[in-house]
Structure formats: structure tokens, C-alpha cells
Amino acid sequence: MNHLSAVSAVFALEPQLQLVGLALTAMGAFHILLPRLVDWPADLAGTSLLTRQVSYAHLFFIGLTCVLLGLLPLCYAPELLAGTPLGTALLAGQTLFWGARWAFQFVYFSPALWRGDRFRTAGHLALALLWTWVTAVFACALLAGPA
């Protein structure tokens, strides 16, 4: 395999879907560390027990959702690309879901949360790139039709 065909193989939809799946699964697992990295225990200490428990329950289910949505393309990329009604529906759902997450990165979260803070600015930029890539891969897979 020459260099050009090796690069083409990496950028093909199936390996891109698998890489997206790996990234989403890792993102879900990362939610275990997230509260300490952004100092949520201190932020939530002054809130009610209900608010703390709902916050951590939501965090758990967001992490679980990332893992489960990541396992689909990680384990079933060929099936997603086969053009079946189920595969097409799953790709459409993933495109809409992650496209909405991409939009939230720019529309919902205030720049005041990250401007002037190197760690949070790096996080904002990394997430902007991640959600752009994830959404683009699912959208390309959806629009490409059967493999």
C-alpha cells in the first residue's frame, strides 16, 4: 500500500466512523474525571441536596449516552454504512444529536465561561473541533448512501 492509499484508507468513512466511536466512548468515560477537573464539588457544595444529586445523575447519564452512542459506530460502522433503513435512521439521529451539541458550543455557552482562562479556552476550542468532526463524519456517512 503506497502512502496515498494509506491516507485514503484512514479518511474513508468506515474508519472515520470507528474513530468517532472511539472518541465518543472516551468522552463518555472522561465524565468520571470531569467534576474534579472543573471543580464541581466546590461549586455544588452550597446548593441543595436535590440540585447536587440531579447534577451528578445528569452527568452520569450524559457520560453513558456518549459511551452508548460511541459504541454504535465503533462496533457497527459497516452496518451503519450499508444503507438499510435502520442504519440510515441511526446516522440521521446521530447527525442531529451531535449537530445540536455542536450548535450549543457556540450558541448556548457564554464566552464569559472561557475567555481569559487558558484551560477553559483550550477546552472550548478542543470541544468545538471535536463536535465539528463528529457531526461532519455522521453527516458525510448519512449523505454518502450505501457503501
Side-chain angles (χ1 to χ4, degrees):
M1 178 183 282
N2 68 32
H3 180 68
L4 185 56
S5 58
V7 170
S8 295
V10 169
F11 287 104
L13 278 175
E14 187 174 325
Q16 282 296 306
L17 277 173
Q18 291 167 330
L19 286 171
V20 161
L22 183 63
L24 292 174
T25 304
M27 174 61 81
F30 176 72
H31 278 70
I32 294 168
L33 305 173
L34 186 61
R36 297 250 182 251
L37 287 174
V38 295
D39 203 23
W40 281 1
D43 288 346
L44 292 172
T47 64
S48 70
L49 177 61
L50 177 63
T51 299
R52 281 192 306 277
Q53 288 187 338
V54 167
S55 295
Y56 284 111
H58 279 108
L59 177 75
F60 171 79
F61 283 103
I62 291 168
L64 180 61
T65 298
C66 287
V67 168
L68 294 175
L69 290 178
L71 287 174
L72 279 171
L74 181 62
C75 299
Y76 298 104
E79 289 83 355
L80 289 172
L81 293 169
T84 64
L86 180 59
T88 301
L90 289 169
L91 287 172
Q94 293 261 30
T95 301
L96 290 172
F97 184 87
W98 297 113
R101 178 58 186 87
W102 175 88
F104 264 61
Q105 189 68 27
F106 301 103
V107 175
Y108 180 75
F109 294 108
S110 169
L113 294 171
W114 53 269
R115 279 201 182 126
D117 181 316
R118 284 184 143 149
F119 175 71
R120 289 188 175 187
T121 298
H124 170 74
L125 292 174
L127 289 171
L129 289 171
L130 175 69
W131 304 135
T132 300
W133 172 59
V134 167
T135 303
V137 169
F138 281 120
C140 287
L142 177 63
L143 296 173

